[in-house]
């Protein structure tokens, strides 16, 4: 309240007191007159307050009461605040409408979730892709509406760096990619994309690779057999003996690549969980150690450390393939004076198998792509050592079948560490 308003209020109060005092003095009751003047003044102020409150309750800004003095300033201030609030409200409404129009035009679905994974809002694309129904699904948990097991595990896992791809059961057959993005105070944004075309192209590619590999296996077997016969024939001209040996070596290498492709295709063709048959990891490590030491060139030390005698529950053939790939890679890229160590241990989180070497190491920018098929850190070196670029891809798929994960640590020139982490349900309980 400014100084002029205070002066006006003080003047009216003083006037009321003087009038009350004058009237009271006429009747010989000065103090009673002053009290009566104050009461009348207070009644006028209470009446003005009641008019302002009634106006505010009616929420009719255009019917503002008219006053003179401080009450007029108060009404003016209220009107200014109301107009400012209306301006910001309209501005927010415009922004909200623009946001809804833009999300509606998006080719991807958007679902807003609260910290309890309950749906707060979704756009039309999300409704079409996920089969959501207007306001009826607002407030429901998204995993009660999207019940694909892989999505439920993804939602509850808390690791949202990569999307999950699932097969939709809404309408025509299609594949959806769903990625959760945390924001705000524990809220989630679900981004839904139709990846049916990409999934079908990937399926066609896998089928082609599997069929081509299967068709190549028979002629390669015949070629390798004839080359083996020729290289062992003492009557072969020494001039062509060397080329025949190289041809046989390359044919065997191609046979190995084809076999890896067939193994990988079989793993990719099925997403069922591996059976839970007990596997003696300690005995498997001993066998892998003997295989490495039998190589013509091998690291000076091939060590094994068994911190647990508990068995791993899984499919023996697949686990042997995965562990053998890790150990063979370590042996290939470790110099003869280096060492390779295998270790098996268990804890409350599950079972862990690691292979640590003192080899050439891997640059940090290559590590995220190591499990991609045909990916090589150094193509020339891989060809020299006979690598196909499929070993770690096979390891990844084997571990996925067992609910396990692969962690990789490496430094150039200092060696690498590959660790398979198996969940507790994949470890045999102690007797």
């Amino acid at each position: 309240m400014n100084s002029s308003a205070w002066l006006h209020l003080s003047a009216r109060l003083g006037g009321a007191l003087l009038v009350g005092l004058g009237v009271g003095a006429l009747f010989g009751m000065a103090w009673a007159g002053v009290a009566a003047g104050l009461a009348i003044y207070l009644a006028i102020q209470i009446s003005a307050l009641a008019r302002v409150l009634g106006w505010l309750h009616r929420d009719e800004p255009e019917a503002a009461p008219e006053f003179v003095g401080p009450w007029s300033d108060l009404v003016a201030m209220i009107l200014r605040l109301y107009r400012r609030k209306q301006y910001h409200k309209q501005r927010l409404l415009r922004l909200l409408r623009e946001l809804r129009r833009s999300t509606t035009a998006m080719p991807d679905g958007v679902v807003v979730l609260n910290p309890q994974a309950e749906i707060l809002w979704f756009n039309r694309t999300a409704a079409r892709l996920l089969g959501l129904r207007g306001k009826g699904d607002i407030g429901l948990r998204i995993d009660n509406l999207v019940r694909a097991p892989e999505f439920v595990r993804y939602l509850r896992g808390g690791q949202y760096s990569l999307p999950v791809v699932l097969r939709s059961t809404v309408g025509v057959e299609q594949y959806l990619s769903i990625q959760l993005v945390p924001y705000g105070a524990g809220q989630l944004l679900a981004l839904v994309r139709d990846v049916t075309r990409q999934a079908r192209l990937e399926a066609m590619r896998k089928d082609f690779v599997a069929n081509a590999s299967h068709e190549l296996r028979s002629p390669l077997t015949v070629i390798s057999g004839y080359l083996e016969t020729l290289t062992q024939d003492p009557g072969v001209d020494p001039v062509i003996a060397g080329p025949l040996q190289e041809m046989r070596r390359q044919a065997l290498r191609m046979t190995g690549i084809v076999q890896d492709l067939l193994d990988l295709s079989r793993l990719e063709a099925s997403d069922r969980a591996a059976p839970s048959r007990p596997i003696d990891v300690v005995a498997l490590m001993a066998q892998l150690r003997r295989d490495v030491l039998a190589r013509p060139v091998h690291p000076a030390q091939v060590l094994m450390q068994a911190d647990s005698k508990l068995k791993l529950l899984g499919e023996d053939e697949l686990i042997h393939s995965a562990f053998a790939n890790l150990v063979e890679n370590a042996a290939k890229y470790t110099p003869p004076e280096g060492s390779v160590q295998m270790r098996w241990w268990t804890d409350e989180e599950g079972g862990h198998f690691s292979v640590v070497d003192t080899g050439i190491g891997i640059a940090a920018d290559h590590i995220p792509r190591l499990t991609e098929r045909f990916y090589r850190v150094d193509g020339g070196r891989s060809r020299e050592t006979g690598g196909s670029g499929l070993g770690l891809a096979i390891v990844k798929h084997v571990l996925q079948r067992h609910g396990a994960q692969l962690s990789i640590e490496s430094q150039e020139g200092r060696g690498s560490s590959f660790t398979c982490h198996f969940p507790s349900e994949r470890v045999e309980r102690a007797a």
Side-chain angles (χ1 to χ4, degrees):
M1 191 178 293
N2 54 35
S3 56
S4 61
W6 279 110
L7 288 174
H8 186 276
L9 185 63
S10 301
R12 298 192 66 176
L13 177 59
L17 292 175
L18 288 176
V19 170
L21 180 61
V23 173
L26 290 177
F27 296 96
M29 301 169 60
W31 289 108
V34 170
L38 285 173
I40 294 171
Y41 180 79
L42 181 59
I44 293 172
Q45 301 304 318
I46 291 175
S47 174
L49 177 60
R51 291 177 62 192
V52 172
L53 289 175
W55 169 60
L56 293 176
H57 282 300
R58 290 193 302 272
D59 195 19
E60 297 176 354
E62 67 280 355
E66 296 182 359
F67 297 100
V68 177
W71 288 105
S72 176
D73 293 343
L74 176 62
V75 170
M77 290 174 63
I78 292 173
L79 286 173
R80 282 197 298 272
L81 290 173
Y82 176 81
R83 293 189 185 101
R84 189 179 303 169
K85 183 190 77 170
Q86 289 297 106
Y87 169 77
H88 289 295
K89 181 180 178 180
Q90 293 299 323
R91 184 170 177 269
L92 289 174
L93 286 174
R94 286 195 299 271
L95 290 174
L96 181 59
R97 291 192 189 100
E98 287 296 326
L99 177 62
R100 288 191 172 182
R101 279 196 290 267
S102 62
T103 53
T104 300
M106 288 176 62
D108 298 339
V110 180
V111 184
V112 180
L113 307 172
N114 66 11
Q116 289 73 42
E118 296 170 342
I119 298 175
L120 300 178
W121 179 84
F122 54 85
N123 66 354
R124 293 178 184 174
T125 306
R128 175 175 55 83
L129 295 175
L130 299 177
L132 303 179
R133 297 174 290 104
K135 295 182 179 179
D137 289 337
I138 299 295
L140 299 180
R141 285 183 58 89
I142 191 169
D143 50 346
N144 290 337
L145 302 172
V146 183
R147 298 184 179 182
E150 54 268 41
F151 174 72
V152 175
R153 289 194 297 268
Y154 176 72
L155 176 65
R156 297 175 182 175
Q159 299 295 327
Y160 306 136
S161 57
L162 295 174
V164 60
V165 178
L166 53 94
R167 185 174 178 178
S168 173
T169 57
V170 179
V172 297
E173 179 184 353
Q174 60 182 346
Y175 291 86
L176 302 178
S177 168
I178 304 179
Q179 182 166 14
L180 297 178
V181 181
Y183 78 99
Q187 292 179 292
L188 295 170
L189 197 67
L191 304 178
V192 189
R193 178 175 297 176
D194 185 351
V195 292
T196 304
R197 182 173 180 273
Q198 295 92 315
R200 288 175 178 169
L201 288 173
E202 179 68 12
M204 290 173 60
R205 182 184 64 82
K206 290 178 181 178
D207 290 342
F208 170 77
V209 171
N211 293 334
S213 302
H214 182 75
E215 293 300 324
L216 284 172
R217 185 167 59 173
S218 296
L220 279 173
T221 302
V222 174
I223 292 172
S224 298
Y226 278 119
L227 288 172
E228 183 179 5
T229 302
L230 289 171
T231 55
Q232 293 177 354
D233 185 356
V236 173
D237 189 342
V239 177
I240 64 171
L244 284 174
Q245 288 285 358
E246 179 62 19
M247 289 168 64
R248 181 168 181 265
R249 189 177 74 85
Q250 294 298 335
L252 290 174
R253 179 169 177 264
M254 286 187 66
T255 302
I257 293 174
V258 168
Q259 186 58 50
D260 284 346
L261 281 170
L262 289 172
D263 292 342
L264 186 58
S265 297
R266 280 194 292 268
L267 288 169
E268 291 178 335
S270 174
D271 57 357
R272 64 177 180 84
S276 296
R277 293 189 286 268
I279 302 170
D280 189 342
V281 180
V282 179
L284 177 56
M285 288 195 300
Q287 180 183 345
L288 294 175
R289 181 176 183 272
R290 289 193 297 269
D291 293 343
V292 173
L293 293 176
R295 295 166 60 95
V297 179
H298 59 76
Q301 290 185 316
V302 182
L303 309 173
M304 50 180 285
Q305 178 180 345
D307 296 335
S308 173
K309 294 183 179 180
L310 296 179
K311 294 183 178 180
L312 178 66
L313 300 178
E315 187 170 342
D316 182 73
E317 183 180 353
L318 294 181
I319 292 296
H320 184 280
S321 174
F323 288 6
N325 269 302
L326 293 177
V327 175
E328 287 176 7
N329 278 347
K332 284 179 185 177
Y333 299 112
T334 300
E337 65 276 9
S339 67
V340 173
Q341 182 178 29
M342 295 173 281
R343 182 188 174 202
W344 165 250
W345 75 99
T346 58
D347 53 27
E348 63 278 0
E349 295 182 358
H352 314 273
F353 174 79
S354 69
V355 179
V356 181
D357 63 63
T358 58
I360 59 175
I362 305 165
D365 56 331
H366 291 291
I367 291 178
R369 299 191 59 192
L370 284 180
T371 56
E372 295 179 13
R373 58 166 66 195
F374 297 115
Y375 184 79
R376 292 188 176 96
V377 176
D378 184 343
R381 187 185 296 272
S382 296
R383 293 185 185 93
E384 292 172 6
T385 56
S388 65
L390 296 171
L392 290 178
I394 292 174
V395 172
K396 181 185 74 171
H397 283 83
V398 169
L399 294 183
Q400 286 177 348
R401 292 276 294 275
H402 289 79
Q405 293 181 337
L406 176 68
S407 64
I408 305 172
E409 297 178 3
S410 184
Q411 291 184 8
E412 284 188 284
R414 302 187 64 180
S416 306
S417 172
F418 293 79
T419 306
C420 307
H421 302 282
F422 294 88
S424 56
E425 59 267 20
R426 284 290 179 180
V427 178
E428 186 180 52
R429 295 184 180 179

